[in-house]
C-alpha cells in the first residue's frame, strides 16, 4: 500500500544518512524541506523530497498536507504509565504546602502507588494503562518506554511487566520495558536495604529474565532512596541478565551518581534537575544520553534541567514526559516540547531534536524511528494548518496534531 503526503508546508527532521544523536551546536539545526512530499510504502518511509520531484505512482492514497507540518512522531523514552488509580489527594496536599519528601514520609508517593497496584488485578491495570497509551498515541507519541516500580514485591513487579508485555503485543508502536524494582524501599525494608536489594537480584531478576519481560534496568539514585553503591550493585546485576541501565539521577541532589552511571554503561541518565560542572564533564566523555523531564518540574515546582548550560557545553539532550500518577500525570509530549522552550530556553529546533532523534537514542531505537529517513518506520504525524513549526511550542495549550500514523496506518 502506498500513501503519498503532498504539498507539505514543512517536512521536518529529514536525514538522508543515519545519525545516532546530535549534541551541542548541532542541536540548533533541524533539517527540513519546504513544499515537500513524503511517500509511505506499507510500514516504512519509502521516499521524500521537494514537490518539484514528487512522483505519481498508481494505486496511491493521497493526503493533501497544504499548510501543514509533517514530522516524525514523538519518542517518549521515560514513562511510568502502567499504574493503578491516581494520587489526586497528594496533588491537593502539595498545594497545601507539603513537600514531595513529606508526602513520602506519610506513606504517600511511590509507596502509595505500590499499595494500590498490589491490590489491583492485572486485567484492571491493563485496562487502565491501555487507555493512557491510546491517549498519548493520539497526541503524537509513536514510541514509548514504560517502567515497572509500583509493585515493590516480586508478584507486583512481575504483574506490571506482564502488563507492559501485553501492551507490546497489542499495539504496533515500539514499546520498551524497564525493570524499576529499585524505585523505593518498601516499609518493611526501610532499615535493611540490602535485604530488599537481595530480593530484587536473587528473586525478581531471574524470573524477569526467564519470562523475557524487560529491556532495561533502572533505579532511583537519590538521597533518601538508592545510594550510589546500591545503584552500582543493581546496574551490574542487571547487565548480567542483558539489561542495560537507564537511571533516575540528580532529581533533588547531586551525589556523584552520574559518574557511576557512565562508568557502568548507562544508556541514559534521566531527570538532572541538579547538574554540576563535574557531571557535565563526565557526560561529555560518554555515550550516555541526558534526559530532561520538564513537565515533572512544572507539576511539582522543582528546578528545571539546565538545558541551556548543558547544550552550550556541547552535550546532547533528550526530552521525555515522566508520565506517572504522582509527579507528572500527563503523557503529552507537545506540552513537554513547549515547556522545554518556554522554561528551559531551548529553541524549537533543539526541543524537536530532543523529542525525536535524541529521544530515540535514549530508548535504543534510533535505527527504527526518530527521523524522516528512507527505510525507517512510517511513524509520522501531521499538524493542522500552521504558520510554521514554531507554532507547536508557541500554542502550548493547544493540540495542533491532526493526523498520527503508526507503522503506515492512520490512528483513528
Amino acid at each position: 500500500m502506498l500513501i503519498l503526503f503532498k504539498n507539505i508546508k514543512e517536512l521536518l527532521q529529514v536525514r538522508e544518512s543515519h545519525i545516532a544523536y546530535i549534541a551541542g551546536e548541532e542541536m540548533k539545526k533541524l533539517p527540513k524541506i519546504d513544499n515537500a512530499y513524503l511517500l509511505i510504502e506499507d510500514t516504512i518511509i519509502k521516499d521524500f523530497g521537494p514537490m518539484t520531484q514528487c512522483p505519481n505512482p498508481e494505486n496511491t492514497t493521497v493526503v493533501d498536507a497544504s499548510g501543514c507540518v509533517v514530522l516524525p512522531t514523538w519518542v517518549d523514552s521515560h514513562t511510568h504509565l502502567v499504574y493503578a488509580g491516581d494520587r489526586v489527594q497528594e496533588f491537593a496536599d502539595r498545594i497545601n504546602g507539603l513537600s514531595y519528601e513529606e508526602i513520602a514520609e506519610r506513606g504517600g508517593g511511590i509507596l502509595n502507588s505500590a499499595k494500590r497496584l498490589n491490590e489491583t488485578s492485572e486485567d484492571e491495570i491493563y485496562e487502565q494503562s491501555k487507555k493512557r497509551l491510546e491517549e498519548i498515541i493520539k497526541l503524537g507519541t509513536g514510541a514509548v518506554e514504560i517502567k515497572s516500580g509500583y509493585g515493590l514485591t516480586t508478584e507486583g513487579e512481575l504483574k506490571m511487566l506482564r502488563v507492559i508485555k501485553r501492551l507490546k503485543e497489542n499495539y504496533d508502536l515500539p514499546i520498551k520495558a524497564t525493570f524499576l524494582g529499585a524505585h523505593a524501599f518498601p516499609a518493611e525494608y526501610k532499615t535493611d536495604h540490602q535485604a530488599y536489594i537481595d530480593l530484587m537480584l536473587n528473586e525478581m531478576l531471574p524470573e524477569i529474565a526467564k519470562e523475557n519481560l524487560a529491556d532495561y534496568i533502572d533505579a532511583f539514585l537519590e538521597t533518601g532512596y538508592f545510594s550510589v553503591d546500591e545503584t552500582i550493585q543493581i546496574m551490574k546485576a542487571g547487565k548480567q541478565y542483558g539489561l542495560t541501565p537507564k537511571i533516575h539521577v540528580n532529581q533533588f541532589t547531586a551525589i556523584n551518581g552520574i559518574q557511576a552511571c557512565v562508568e557502568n554503561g548507562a544508556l541514559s541518565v534521566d531527570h538532572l534537575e541538579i547538574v554540576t560542572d563535574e557531571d557535565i564533564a563526565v557526560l561529555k566523555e560518554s555515550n550516555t544520553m541526558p534526559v530532561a523531564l520538564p513537565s515533572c518540574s512544572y507539576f511539582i515546582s522543582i528546578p528545571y534541567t539546565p538545558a541551556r548550560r548543558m547544550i552550550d557545553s556541547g552535550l546532547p539532550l533528550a526530552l521525555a514526559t515522566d508520565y506517572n500518577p504522582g509527579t507528572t500525570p500527563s503523557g503529552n509530549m507537545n506540552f513537554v516540547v513547549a515547556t522545554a522552550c518556554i522554561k528551559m530556553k531551548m529553541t524549537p529546533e533543539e526541543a524537536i531534536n530532543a523529542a525525536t532523534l535524541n529521544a530515540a537514542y535514549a530508548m535504543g531505537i534510533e535505527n527504527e524511528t526518530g527521523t524522516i529517513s528512507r527505510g525507517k518506520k512510517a511513524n509520522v504525524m501531521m499538524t493542522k494548518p500552521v504558520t510554521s513549526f514554531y507554532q507547536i511550542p508557541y500554542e502550548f495549550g493547544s493540540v495542533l496534531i491532526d493526523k498520527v500514523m503508526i507503522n503506515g496506518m492512520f490512528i483513528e
Side-chain angles (χ1 to χ4, degrees):
M1 184 174 72
L2 292 173
I3 298 175
L4 179 65
F5 292 83
K6 296 178 70 172
N7 306 313
I8 302 168
K9 183 181 180 72
E10 296 172 306
L11 180 63
L12 303 185
Q13 195 58 284
V14 176
R15 305 277 176 177
E16 291 281 357
S17 57
H18 174 72
I19 184 168
Y21 64 86
I22 51 176
E25 283 291 319
E26 289 300 308
M27 287 193 66
K28 291 183 171 65
K29 303 172 187 174
L30 182 63
K32 69 185 181 89
I33 302 173
D34 294 331
N35 191 25
Y37 75 89
L38 173 66
L39 182 63
I40 306 299
E41 183 175 38
D42 297 325
T43 63
I44 66 166
I45 295 170
K46 171 77 170 175
D47 200 9
F48 53 82
M51 276 302 296
T52 54
Q53 300 172 13
C54 183
N56 187 28
E58 295 181 355
N59 301 317
T60 302
T61 299
V62 175
V63 178
D64 185 2
S66 296
C68 305
V69 173
V70 173
L71 67 160
T73 47
W74 307 124
V75 176
D76 193 350
S77 70
H78 182 127
T79 83
H80 308 251
L81 74 75
V82 169
Y83 59 85
D86 58 51
R87 281 166 30 203
V88 169
Q89 183 57 49
E90 294 176 18
F91 172 63
D93 290 341
R94 272 196 304 277
I95 294 169
N96 286 314
L98 291 184
S99 70
Y100 182 90
E101 292 83 355
E102 287 169 332
I103 290 169
E105 287 170 5
R106 288 170 43 162
I110 295 163
L111 297 183
N112 183 4
S113 286
K115 182 175 184 294
R116 290 275 190 92
L117 184 122
N118 283 295
E119 294 171 348
T120 307
S121 72
E122 181 178 316
D123 285 343
E124 176 57 26
I125 295 165
Y126 175 79
E127 290 300 319
Q128 292 182 29
S129 301
K130 78 171 190 177
K131 290 176 184 175
R132 300 182 195 112
L133 180 62
E134 289 169 2
E135 178 188 26
I136 67 171
I137 292 170
K138 289 175 183 175
L139 290 169
T141 293
V144 62
E145 180 259 20
I146 310 173
K147 303 176 189 294
S148 69
Y150 293 130
L152 305 185
T153 62
T154 300
E155 187 49 46
E157 290 295 304
L158 290 172
K159 182 161 57 173
M160 290 188 75
L161 290 166
R162 288 169 183 148
V163 167
I164 299 169
K165 185 175 183 179
R166 286 172 67 179
L167 294 172
K168 281 186 180 185
E169 291 168 349
N170 293 328
Y171 292 86
D172 282 339
L173 73 167
I175 297 175
K176 294 289 187 179
T178 298
F179 170 49
L180 179 56
H183 203 186
F185 286 99
E188 61 268 34
Y189 294 100
K190 195 171 183 179
T191 59
D192 192 354
H193 287 191
Q194 191 57 48
Y196 180 62
I197 293 170
D198 289 343
L199 176 69
M200 283 192 294
L201 306 194
N202 300 328
E203 189 173 301
M204 296 184 196
L205 263 176
E207 189 60 34
I208 289 164
K210 179 181 172 183
E211 296 188 38
N212 192 28
L213 292 175
D215 304 290
Y216 301 112
I217 193 162
D218 195 352
F220 190 9
L221 199 175
E222 184 55 75
T223 301
Y225 289 85
F226 289 81
S227 70
V228 173
D229 288 342
E230 289 166 344
T231 303
I232 290 171
Q233 192 180 347
I234 291 160
M235 287 191 287
K236 287 182 174 178
K239 287 166 71 175
Q240 289 180 344
Y241 287 96
L243 305 182
T244 300
K246 279 172 61 68
I247 305 295
H248 286 64
V249 63
N250 283 44
Q251 183 174 3
F252 303 113
T253 58
I255 52 175
N256 295 321
I258 288 177
Q259 182 167 349
C261 294
V262 167
E263 289 174 352
N264 284 275
L267 176 61
S268 71
V269 284
D270 301 25
H271 270 293
L272 311 183
E273 287 85 351
I274 308 297
V275 179
T276 68
D277 290 342
E278 290 77 15
D279 292 330
I280 289 174
V282 167
L283 286 167
K284 281 184 74 170
E285 299 302 317
S286 79
N287 292 314
T288 299
M289 178 63 67
V291 180
L293 311 170
S295 49
C296 176
S297 297
Y298 172 86
F299 191 72
I300 62 172
S301 300
I302 60 174
Y304 288 88
T305 302
R308 195 68 275 138
R309 181 158 64 95
M310 294 169 70
I311 295 170
D312 291 347
S313 296
L315 288 180
L317 190 65
L319 292 170
T321 64
D322 195 24
Y323 193 0
N324 75 79
T327 63
T328 322
S330 169
N332 189 341
M333 281 292 290
N334 302 283
F335 180 74
V336 166
V337 167
T339 305
C341 295
I342 296 162
K343 294 295 186 182
M344 293 162 57
K345 304 306 179 188
M346 293 176 70
T347 67
E349 291 86 350
E350 290 170 333
I352 291 172
N353 278 322
T356 54
L357 171 59
N358 283 5
Y361 178 87
M363 216 177 119
I365 56 169
E366 67 275 15
N367 292 325
E368 298 177 52
T369 189
T371 64
I372 300 296
S373 303
R374 294 175 185 89
K376 283 197 175 180
K377 285 182 180 293
N379 290 7
V380 301
M381 55 185 170
M382 185 176 92
T383 68
K384 299 170 184 176
V386 292
T387 54
S388 87
F389 71 89
Y390 283 12
Q391 206 164 327
I392 297 171
Y394 170 72
E395 292 192 12
F396 68 93
S398 300
V399 177
L400 296 181
I401 305 304
D402 185 42
K403 297 182 187 298
V404 177
M405 172 181 280
I406 305 292
N407 267 359
M409 298 289 290
F410 285 114
I411 303 300
E412 295 300 326

